[in-house]
Amino acid sequence: MIPIALDPRFARLAVAGNGALALRRFRALRAAGAADALLFSDAPDDEAVTEAGDQLRRALPGPDDLAALHVLWIVDLPRDRAEPLAAAARALRLLVNVEDVPPLCDFHSVAEVRRGDLLLTISTNGRAPGLAGMIRRNLELRYGAEWADRVAEIGTLRAGWQREGISMPEAAKRIAAIAADRKWLCDRVCDFAAPQPQG
């Protein structure tokens, strides 16, 4: 698998399915910045109707709907409905994920931890999602809410250094020094990342 971070401003995304799992995937896309993501559901419950609002389509996607998309998650549909939908999407060159059916997936959704602009992801190539979830919970404990501010601070410093013409290697050295000085990472990593003495 090839990991990428997809900017939802440049891709049309949708979820097709019914029930709590489809709504959870839709929420995850919205939380990741996909404000225009669509939810296709031919049996939406009241929660889906309320939450998806104008982004709800009260049917599964047809050919014209699919032609307007780039990526489709198919969630919580019986296989006899999910498989032909995935095939139709793939024929139009969409990337398709059929949740919990790895043979029908072009890609696998990752377990994730978000702290502002910091995104930590875990993938087991679709083979052990429960294990990926355990690792995600471990990372949530290790990387708390303070990491959002840390990333924002470093981002501001880096933008200033770029305006000053500081090279990438020098900026990386400065970031490593800040992280080591403030002990942002475990001692072993901080020791490894700290600038080495000269001479």
Side-chain angles (χ1 to χ4, degrees), residues 4 70-73 89 93-97 106-107:
I4 61 170
H70 294 116
V71 186
L72 177 66
W73 283 261
R93 303 182 67 83
L94 271 73
L95 292 173
V96 179
N97 175 282
D106 299 324
F107 68 95

Side-chain angles (χ1 to χ4, degrees), residues 2 10 29 53 63 65 79 103 131 136 148 152 180:
I2 301 171
F10 304 109
L29 294 180
D65 301 311
R79 184 156 179 163
L131 180 59
R136 175 185 55 77

Side-chain angles (χ1 to χ4, degrees), residues 159-182:
W161 296 334
Q162 285 178 320
R163 287 191 297 274
E164 294 170 23
I166 301 298
S167 69
M168 286 180 61
E170 175 59 25
K173 198 185 306 182
R174 292 180 182 191
I175 292 167
I178 291 168
D181 182 58
R182 299 184 191 178

